[in-house]
Amino acid sequence: MNTLTGKPELKRALFHIVSTIAMGFVAAKVLGVMALCVAFAFVAYVECKRKGHASLQQFVIEEFGDYMSDEEKADPPKLSGILPMLGALIVALTFLSQSQFGLMILIMALGDPAARIAGVWFSNKYGVEKYRLPWAKNKSMAGFAAIWIVGAILTALWGFTWSSVVVISFACALAESIGSRKTWYSDDNMLMPCAAIGAIKFSMLFV
């Protein structure tokens, strides 16, 4: 159900915000890189089993269906966003400072739901064929603008220069728009934080 009136998008958005911030805090303050690598391997194993066992997939849908996307509940199921997010956290903790890591987590937590909600609202109001991104017909310009704005506000609050604000927020919006659930390494939960990491490190070269 892809509509705001039935509240599934809002529910998934809230879950995404809370889970991303919680995972980021636990990753940074409790687990560390090695523990995250173990968690990544375990989740990867579960994902492989979920795709090959209908009973496990049905159990996951019954227990967590309200927080899953239509793609994750499809047959065969698409990749869960948890696996690429764990991969992104491993990369982020390796290359970013604590402050930069916090910025990346908030962009992930708030930007993706903002893009999803704006895209759904825009599609409901103007139709799913209008104002799509030229390079990603399944994504709307409204969603792209939403994540760009969220990223820009957060980056500015972190004290980056305006040129860095534009670079970092645009990189995140672009990465989210080209993300795909076909593989874990092309998922937007992996591409967007990796784009943020690259843009942040690039911007720090001119500070």
Side-chain angles (χ1 to χ4, degrees), residues 104-175:
M104 186 211 74
I105 288 295
L106 284 181
I107 293 176
M108 288 178 63
L110 302 178
D112 189 75
R116 185 181 302 119
I117 291 175
V120 170
W121 177 86
F122 198 83
S123 296
N124 288 342
K125 187 174 180 64
Y126 298 103
V128 296
E129 301 298 329
K130 288 186 176 181
Y131 307 110
R132 315 309 287 180
L133 293 174
W135 61 87
K137 296 298 184 181
N138 62 324
K139 302 291 181 74
S140 71
M141 293 181 180
F144 183 86
I147 194 169
W148 194 352
I149 292 170
V150 169
I153 292 173
L154 290 171
T155 308
L157 290 175
W158 248 249
F160 282 85
T161 63
W162 283 110
S163 59
S164 295
V165 167
V166 173
V167 170
I168 295 170
S169 57
F170 178 78
C172 291
L174 181 62

Side-chain angles (χ1 to χ4, degrees), residues 18-31:
V18 174
S19 62
T20 302
I21 293 175
M23 286 179 64
F25 177 82
V26 172
K29 301 299 183 181
V30 180
L31 295 179

Side-chain angles (χ1 to χ4, degrees), residues 5-29:
T5 57
K7 300 296 189 289
E9 290 295 334
L10 293 176
K11 196 171 186 178
R12 280 202 293 270
L14 180 60
F15 175 75
H16 180 92
I17 292 170
V18 174
S19 62
T20 302
I21 293 175
M23 286 179 64
F25 177 82
V26 172
K29 301 299 183 181

